[in-house]
Amino acid sequence: MHAFDVLGDPVRRRILELLADGEMSSGEVSEVIRREFGISQPGVSQHLKVLRENGFATVRPEGTRRLYAVNSEPLRDIDAWLDRFRRFWTPPLEALATELARGKRERRLRQEAGGSSDTDDSIDHVPPPRSEP
């Protein structure tokens, strides 16, 4: 199964989100997933199996419990694959951060100079990102 097939399922993505906070027993994972998605414990077990068999999760026995954790290696592989696409969103996000900082600075300078406060300080005007040639 391809990594994006594994991560394409919202239940499996949610399980990984849970495990990202630390190791959890299969029972703990099942309880959350059953509550949020309304699927049975055997259904949750199948999702855990897919994650484990595809390397996204590890499991270790502790007494009668099975503890699951995230295996970061496949996520690193996905991150490396995504790296070639970061150029599409990194510059616009950096430009947005610059514009937000500029707006905050201008607002602060106006306030320090004794100027009137804006009635709408919720967001500064940010121009739309430029499309690349």
Side-chain angles (χ1 to χ4, degrees), residues 72-86:
S72 62
E73 190 60 37
L75 298 173
R76 284 189 203 114
D77 294 342
I78 291 170
D79 186 55
W81 184 84
L82 285 171
D83 197 46
R84 74 176 112 175
F85 300 100
R86 281 192 174 79

Side-chain angles (χ1 to χ4, degrees), residues 46-96:
Q46 285 300 311
H47 285 291
L48 286 167
K49 180 181 178 182
V50 169
L51 290 170
R52 189 179 66 246
E53 288 179 348
N54 287 279
F56 285 89
T58 60
V59 63
R60 71 177 180 87
E62 184 179 83
T64 59
R65 299 180 338 150
R66 295 172 58 85
L67 298 174
Y68 285 82
V70 170
N71 179 14
S72 62
E73 190 60 37
L75 298 173
R76 284 189 203 114
D77 294 342
I78 291 170
D79 186 55
W81 184 84
L82 285 171
D83 197 46
R84 74 176 112 175
F85 300 100
R86 281 192 174 79
R87 67 185 169 96
F88 294 113
W89 65 80
T90 301
L93 289 176
E94 289 171 350
L96 175 61

Side-chain angles (χ1 to χ4, degrees), residues 4 9 11 27 54 63 80 84 89 92 96 106 112 132:
F4 289 109
D9 186 282
V11 173
N54 287 279
R84 74 176 112 175
W89 65 80
L96 175 61
E106 289 172 0
E112 289 173 0
E132 292 188 16

Side-chain angles (χ1 to χ4, degrees), residues 90-102 123-124 126-127:
T90 301
L93 289 176
E94 289 171 350
L96 175 61
T98 299
E99 290 300 318
L100 290 172
R102 182 177 294 137
I123 188 163
D124 295 311
V126 178

